[in-house]
Amino acid sequence: ALTLRSNAMPSAATPDLSEPMTVGEIAAALAGASAVFRRHKIDFCCGGDVPLEVAARERGIEPELLRAELAALEQVPTDAPHESNDLVAYILSRYHDTHRRELAELRLLAGKVEAVHRAHPEVPAGLAQLLEQAQHELEDHMRKEEQILFPAIRSGFKGSLFGPITVMRHEHASHAELIHELQAVCRDFALPQDACRSWQGLYRGVEKLVTDLMEHINLENTVLFPRFEHSR
């Protein structure tokens, strides 16, 4: 049986859900788990150090039912590579580039939907402004990683990167609050029956952004950062 630890990511093995694991470890190792957790409103990014059983009971779910739902997923690991330099490259292409590309489009679409449907009782008022805030905060955060933390990791630095990682973890917590605000403004992405195609596309896009952000934060907090927080 396999028990995943917070500083390791298996490259081929799949998680054994009968073993004690946190929701963050499961989300980092099992494809599709993040969507299951988000559907049940289980925080797997900054709150991901909670054991699966505890997280389930906090949401009023029987742990065995949640474990069965996870087990029903295709049992393959996430496609994130194991080696640290490759993992950094993956984070840059899979998340940094994606966030930049999608946030710019989502801001425009949100502005259009808010303007056209301003009289609708379920319009996501303030979403465009919230996405602009997300864009600025994420750009600042990602730039710090790209200019300071990731080059240090790639250089083979043997000391502790505890200082910059602590800053990144603190900013991740702020991003987690932003995720909750996005979900609230979009009413957990429940569309009104008369939602136009732009509104539908907007919610699909913001929902994907939220899932990507949670996966991004969890991958760094659970897998990458613990490798470099202490001298090696």
Side-chain angles (χ1 to χ4, degrees):
L2 171 69
T3 302
L4 297 183
R5 300 299 178 194
S6 62
N7 61 348
M9 170 175 279
S11 57
T14 56
D16 182 349
L17 296 174
S18 67
E19 294 287 343
M21 298 174 67
T22 67
V23 293
E25 289 171 336
I26 295 170
L30 181 61
S34 58
V36 171
F37 290 141
R38 197 174 60 74
R39 186 165 60 250
H40 290 295
K41 298 186 169 124
I42 292 174
D43 181 4
F44 64 87
C45 56
C46 289
D49 58 351
V50 177
L52 178 67
E53 290 75 11
V54 174
R57 291 196 172 97
E58 285 179 348
R59 298 304 306 170
I61 307 165
E62 284 297 324
E64 288 307 314
L65 293 178
L66 182 58
R67 190 176 286 108
E69 190 171 348
L70 292 166
L73 297 170
E74 184 180 0
Q75 291 289 293
V76 295
T78 60
D79 56 355
H82 173 76
E83 201 276 326
S84 295
N85 284 356
D86 292 339
L87 184 55
V88 166
Y90 173 86
I91 289 170
L92 289 170
S93 62
R94 171 63 183 85
Y95 296 111
H96 286 212
D97 291 349
T98 300
H99 295 334
R100 287 185 171 110
R101 181 178 63 252
E102 294 183 353
L103 268 166
E105 294 300 323
L106 287 171
R107 281 182 58 192
L108 293 174
L109 190 55
K112 174 184 175 182
V113 169
E114 288 185 63
V116 172
H117 301 284
R118 63 173 62 90
H120 196 291
E122 296 182 49
V123 68
L127 179 57
Q129 183 176 357
L130 195 56
L131 288 169
E132 181 179 5
Q133 177 187 343
Q135 187 176 33
H136 289 318
E137 290 187 10
L138 281 171
E139 184 57 48
D140 181 66
H141 176 84
M142 294 188 296
R143 191 183 302 114
K144 291 174 187 173
E145 291 186 332
E146 292 163 3
Q147 295 180 356
I148 301 171
L149 181 59
F150 289 172
I153 290 173
R154 285 173 150 172
S155 72
F157 180 73
K158 296 300 182 184
S160 170
L161 294 172
F162 179 82
I165 287 175
T166 298
V167 173
M168 295 299 98
R169 285 189 182 275
H170 177 74
E171 292 183 0
H172 282 173
S174 177
H175 300 337
E177 291 300 318
L178 197 57
I179 287 170
H180 295 322
E181 291 183 54
L182 287 168
Q183 290 173 313
V185 168
C186 295
R187 302 168 186 260
D188 286 326
F189 311 107
L191 284 159
Q193 291 186 346
D194 57 347
C196 67
R197 289 184 179 178
S198 292
W199 199 336
Q200 294 172 29
L202 173 63
Y203 274 18
R204 281 195 300 269
V206 178
E207 187 171 18
K208 178 183 181 298
L209 171 68
V210 163
T211 298
D212 282 353
L213 275 173
M214 294 180 77
E215 290 176 353
H216 179 184
I217 292 169
N218 183 59
L219 189 58
E220 291 184 347
N221 281 358
T222 305
V223 180
L224 183 64
F225 290 172
R227 299 175 181 178
F228 300 94
E229 286 178 297
H230 306 286
S231 297
R232 291 165 291 144

